[in-house]
C-alpha cells in the first residue's frame, strides 16, 4: 500500500532541521486547514530555489547568478576579504557590522575526519584570490570552535604566504552578559586581552 | 527591487506554525546546503497535497477521495460515531485507543465571536447522519476548553434529539502525572468522579 498524500507531506516536512513527526504533522495540518495559498507559495519558492540557486563563482556564497550581487558590487573595499564558514554567517556579519569589504564563504570548516579538506572548502580559489594582490587583510571569521580555530590557523598561514595580513574577530565577554555566567575560557581570554579605557 | 529567490524562500517558510525569521533562514540554508533532493520532494508533496487533498463528504476529515478510507471501510462499528475538532485529534484517537467506530470531524469548535456557528462545523451533515438511525452512541471528544465544552453541550443536545446516547471522554488525573502538579479543576473533577477499585 502506498502512503497517502498527507503521509507523504508529513514525511517530507521531516527533512527540515528540528522538525520531528509531531511538528511535521502540525505543519501539514496547518497548511491544509488554514493556509493553502501559503503552502502553494512555499512549494513554488522551494522548487525555484532548489533548481536555480547555485554558488557564486567568486565567493562561493549562494547566488542565482554566476557572480553574486555583493561580488558584482564595484563600490566595496577591495583591500578587505572576510572568510566565513557559511552563508548564514556572512549574512549576520553584513547585517550587524559596518564591514564593507568582500566575502569568501568556505561552506564548511576543515574536518579531516569527515573528509573535509582544503579542496572541499575551495581554498585553491581563495589562494588565487589572495594571489591577485588586491587583498591586504583577510578577516578570518570562522566559529570559535575547535574545528573553526584549526581552519582559522590554516587560513592565516595561507594569507601570510601571499603577504596578506590575517586578522581574527576579538574574543571576550559578550555585551549585556554577566561575568558570573561567562565560561572560564572566554573570561580568561577577555582578562588577558584587556585594554586601557578611553577617556 | 524584487526579492531574491533566497529571500522569497525564507519568507515562504514563515507561513509554517512556530517558524519565525531565524528558523526560516535556518531551514532555507539547510535545504540549499544539505538536502536539495529533500527540498524538491517537499515542494512536490506540498503542491500535490494543496491541490488534491479535500474533505471527505461523509466525515469532513481530509481525504484525497470523495469518501475517506475510514468511512469507506465497511467493517467498522456503525453504532459508534466519535466527534472530534480536528483531523489531528482523529488521528491521535485512532492511534492511541482501540476505538473502531466511525468519526465526524468538526474542523473547528463553536465560537460565535469568530463567526463559527453550527453551519461552519457542518452540523446539519452530522444531524442527517444521526437521523439515519444506525448510530447509537455519539462519543464527543472535543477539547476540554471553554469553547470545546460549549460545543460538547450543543452536540449532546443534538444527539438526544435523535435518540442517540451522547458520551464524553473521562476527565481526571493523567497517567504518570503527580497530584501535586495537577490543576485544581482537574483534581476536583477526578476526586468527584472516583470509582471503586477492582479486586
Amino acid at each position: 500500500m502506498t502512503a497517502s498524500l498527507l503521509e507523504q507531506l508529513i514525511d517530507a516536512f521531516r527533512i527540515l532541521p528540528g522538525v520531528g513527526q509531531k511538528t511535521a504533522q502540525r505543519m501539514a495540518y496547518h497548511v491544509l486547514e488554514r493556509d493553502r495559498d501559503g503552502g502553494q507559495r512555499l512549494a513554488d519558492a522551494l522548487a525555484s530555489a532548489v533548481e536555480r540557486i547555485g554558488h557564486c563563482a567568486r565567493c562561493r556564497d549562494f547566488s542565482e547568478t554566476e557572480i553574486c550581487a555583493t561580488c558584482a558590487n564595484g563600490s566595496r573595499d577591495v583591500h578587505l576579504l572576510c572568510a566565513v564558514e557559511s552563508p548564514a554567517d556572512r549574512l549576520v556579519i553584513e547585517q550587524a557590522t559596518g564591514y564593507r569589504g568582500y566575502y569568501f564563504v568556505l561552506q564548511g570548516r576543515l574536518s579531516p575526519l569527515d573528509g573535509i579538506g582544503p579542496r572541499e572548502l575551495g581554498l585553491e580559489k581563495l589562494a588565487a584570490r589572495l594571489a591577485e594582490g588586491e587583498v591586504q587583510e583577510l578577516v578570518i571569521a570562522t566559529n570559535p570552535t575547535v574545528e573553526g580555530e584549526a581552519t582559522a590557523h590554516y587560513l592565516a598561514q595561507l594569507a601570510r604566504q601571499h603577504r596578506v595580513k590575517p586578522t581574527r574577530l576579538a574574543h571576550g565577554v559578550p555585551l549585556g552578559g554577566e561575568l558570573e555566567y561567562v565560561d572560564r575560557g572566554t573570561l580568561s581570554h577577555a582578562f588577558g586581552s584587556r585594554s586601557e579605557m578611553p577617556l
Side-chain angles (χ1 to χ4, degrees), chain A:
Chain A
M1 189 177 143
T2 58
S4 72
L5 287 178
L6 183 61
E7 285 162 354
Q8 285 175 30
L9 178 59
I10 292 172
D11 202 53
F13 269 125
R14 298 189 54 183
I15 65 149
L16 298 175
V19 174
Q21 178 68 18
K22 273 273 173 193
T23 310
Q25 247 176 46
R26 203 155 61 93
M27 286 175 168
Y29 284 130
H30 174 88
V31 167
L32 291 171
E33 279 170 30
R34 312 252 171 86
D35 198 358
R36 290 190 180 226
D37 289 349
Q40 186 59 57
R41 211 164 57 237
L42 175 55
D44 295 342
L46 256 175
S48 308
V50 165
E51 192 190 322
R52 287 165 46 198
I53 295 182
H55 294 286
C56 170
R58 200 157 163 75
C59 75
R60 290 169 50 97
D61 193 6
F62 290 131
S63 175
E64 296 164 44
T65 48
E66 186 171 353
I67 303 291
C68 73
T70 308
C71 286
N73 179 351
S75 67
R76 298 179 73 113
D77 187 343
V78 294
H79 303 312
L80 294 173
L81 187 63
C82 175
V84 293
E85 290 183 18
S86 74
D89 295 342
R90 191 208 81 95
L91 187 68
V92 74
I93 289 177
E94 183 74 9
Q95 288 171 345
T97 73
Y99 179 74
R100 286 301 172 262
Y102 292 92
Y103 294 93
F104 189 86
V105 181
L106 301 166
Q107 301 279 6
R109 68 213 83 170
L110 288 178
S111 177
L113 288 179
D114 301 320
I116 300 178
R119 181 206 289 269
E120 282 68 29
L121 303 186
L123 295 194
E124 78 289 354
K125 193 174 271 183
L126 176 60
R129 178 84 168 265
L130 297 177
E132 286 173 9
E134 282 189 325
V135 177
Q136 292 171 0
E137 177 182 345
L138 179 67
V139 182
I140 302 172
T142 54
N143 290 320
T145 58
V146 173
E147 289 165 343
E149 291 293 349
T151 308
H153 278 99
Y154 192 97
L155 293 181
Q157 282 185 322
L158 191 70
R160 288 199 191 93
Q161 281 167 20
H162 293 90
R163 300 178 188 286
V164 170
K165 182 173 73 170
T167 57
R168 187 98 176 95
L169 299 195
H171 292 309
V173 183
L175 295 189
E178 295 195 47
L179 291 190
E180 190 179 345
Y181 300 110
V182 171
D183 69 286
R184 286 173 176 222
T186 302
L187 192 56
S188 155
H189 192 105
F191 202 87
S193 308
R194 65 191 180 278
S195 58
E196 191 178 345
M197 287 184 67
L199 286 175

